[in-house]
Amino acid sequence: MNVYDSERMADVLAPLGYVLTEDADASDMIILNTCHIREKAAEKLYSELGRLRVMKEMRSAEGKATMIAVAGCVAQAEGEEILTRAPFVDMVFGPQNYHRLPELVTKANDRAGGRDGIAAKGVVDIEFPAESKFDHLPEVTASSSSAFLSVQEGCDKFCTFCVVPYTRGPEYSRAVEEVLGEARILAAGGVREITLLGQNVNAYHGERGSLGGLVRDLADIDGIERLRYITSHPADMDDELISAHRDVPALMPFLHLPVQSGSDEILSKMNRKHTVDDYRRIAERLFAARPGLKLSTDFIVGFPGETDRDFDATLTLAREMGFVQAYSFMYSPRPGTPGATMADQVPEKVKRERLASLQDLLKQIQIEFNQSSAGEIMGVLFDRPGRKPGQLVGRSPYMQPVHVDAPLEMMGEIADVRIAEVHTNSLGGALLRQSKDGARIST
Ligand code: SAH
Ligand code: SF4
């Protein structure tokens, strides 16, 4: 979502003459788009700001102005506090306010120039606006064969560990026609794969029903060959969405469905609104709807009250589900969330040990899955040149990077590839072409 938001900020700033640069030292404006989900992510902001302050001063000595902005969920959560700790920051704005960037830039410039009569001090915009930013953002443009499309934002679930409902605000779904319009523009610009985004994407509810209906409508758009959605919540996996996995070939057989823990006690304390068995049942329905479907997931270890037994149940579930990819985190108490003040906080050392053993297991499962890909034929969407000349890299349906000898014209296309090599984090294979009798042969 932050990648999507950053791209959209660049779109908003383009009419003001700003272009993206890879070179921070040469930038007139630097926006740090921040994440507040865990303490470590939030801490990064202040160390990065310290570095930028030195740069701003050096550029200033050369007579160059540098505008520094803090965007995203840390901005939303800390607001004015950021200006107190880092008074050289010019703009602080939240994830729902960046459509107002042109006004913010004008205000920040006025203040920096002292024109509105107050001492130079940054502008802050973190009020949740009554209007939706989507009504004010410029039209999207396609920049590669794969694109993100935000369809849902915010969350009303209030899991006891999570800051999202506070920083991203209440649940909001974009209108169906607005989403389809954006998807048509992307498809016409060469996009073949769309990943629908939302903090709780399958809570999506449009005029014509749930996310399953939206997926069907999107699959009908010419040029759209792959669809994905992230991140979904098990409690919102409704019949319409599960049946879309059966009926819509463009919907990739790979789903990120966070489970967090394999223990019912912990799930209940987390307020996840489902049990381990509920999760198993949903997974079985998905596997039955789409043969070959694989799951990826998120885990939190060391949530308050988590015992060795609870943690063992997590290991057992990971093995049972065979998650082909997983993100796992040590519980990070977030200020203002119920989990932060719960009794029986787990010591850091125990969290670290649990994380290490879970990650060992997850790695092993992932390697086994990659090895099982050898000899398989998979569709690969080529999206970048490889390191070796004559090579392209693309993504399998399961998001594995696949290196293939292929002509540059195939960039942005999907082709069948027979997997021949399995590396730790990627695969290698050979292009297949259709023979005259329709059989597929390796080139
Ligand atoms: N909406 C998604 C998750 C969004 S947050 C869902 O409900 O599953 C992304 C991931 O960050 C979560 O799945 C969780 O594993 C992790 N996370 C969120 N808050 C955390 C915290 N306080 N400590 C550690 N991990 C956390
Ligand atoms: Fe956070 Fe996801 Fe729970 Fe919402 S459903 S509170 S985003 S973890």
Side-chain angles (χ1 to χ4, degrees), residues 332-388:
S332 168
R334 308 306 290 126
T337 61
T341 49
M342 281 182 187
D344 304 322
Q345 297 282 331
V346 174
E348 287 302 303
K349 182 170 170 287
V350 176
K351 285 189 204 172
R352 258 198 307 278
E353 287 165 1
R354 287 183 186 163
L355 185 69
S357 56
L358 177 61
Q359 288 186 339
D360 280 350
L361 172 64
L362 294 169
K363 181 101 215 156
Q364 192 190 318
I365 299 171
Q366 189 182 5
I367 291 172
E368 280 165 22
F369 174 65
N370 283 348
Q371 282 165 347
S372 76
S373 308
E376 294 283 314
I377 295 169
M378 292 183 180
V380 173
L381 171 57
F382 294 109
D383 59 0
R384 61 195 155 103
R387 250 176 291 155
K388 293 187 197 137

Side-chain angles (χ1 to χ4, degrees), residues 34 36 45-46 49 70-87 89-95 121-127 167:
T34 58
H36 201 237
L45 169 67
Y46 289 104
L49 279 177
V70 179
C73 290
V74 180
Q76 186 64 45
E78 303 211 345
E80 288 278 344
E81 175 67 18
I82 293 175
L83 295 183
T84 309
R85 282 182 66 175
V89 167
D90 300 282
M91 300 186 287
V92 174
F93 53 92
K121 184 169 178 285
V123 285
V124 178
D125 187 0
I126 56 167
E127 287 288 312
T167 53

Side-chain angles (χ1 to χ4, degrees), residues 150-218:
S150 180
V151 300
Q152 183 279 341
E153 287 211 27
C155 183
D156 295 337
K157 291 235 167 13
F158 291 93
C159 300
T160 53
F161 53 81
C162 187
V163 289
V164 168
Y166 311 94
T167 53
R168 286 272 176 175
E171 227 167 77
Y172 168 81
S173 296
R174 293 178 72 188
V176 174
E177 273 315 317
E178 203 179 306
V179 173
L180 295 180
E182 202 164 307
R184 284 189 202 105
I185 294 170
L186 293 171
V191 168
R192 296 288 158 262
E193 175 180 77
I194 291 183
T195 302
L196 305 177
L197 297 179
Q199 266 77 42
N200 209 348
V201 68
N202 58 342
Y204 179 86
H205 47 276
E207 306 87 309
R208 298 201 287 277
S210 82
L211 190 68
L214 185 70
V215 161
R216 285 170 198 264
D217 288 346
L218 285 162

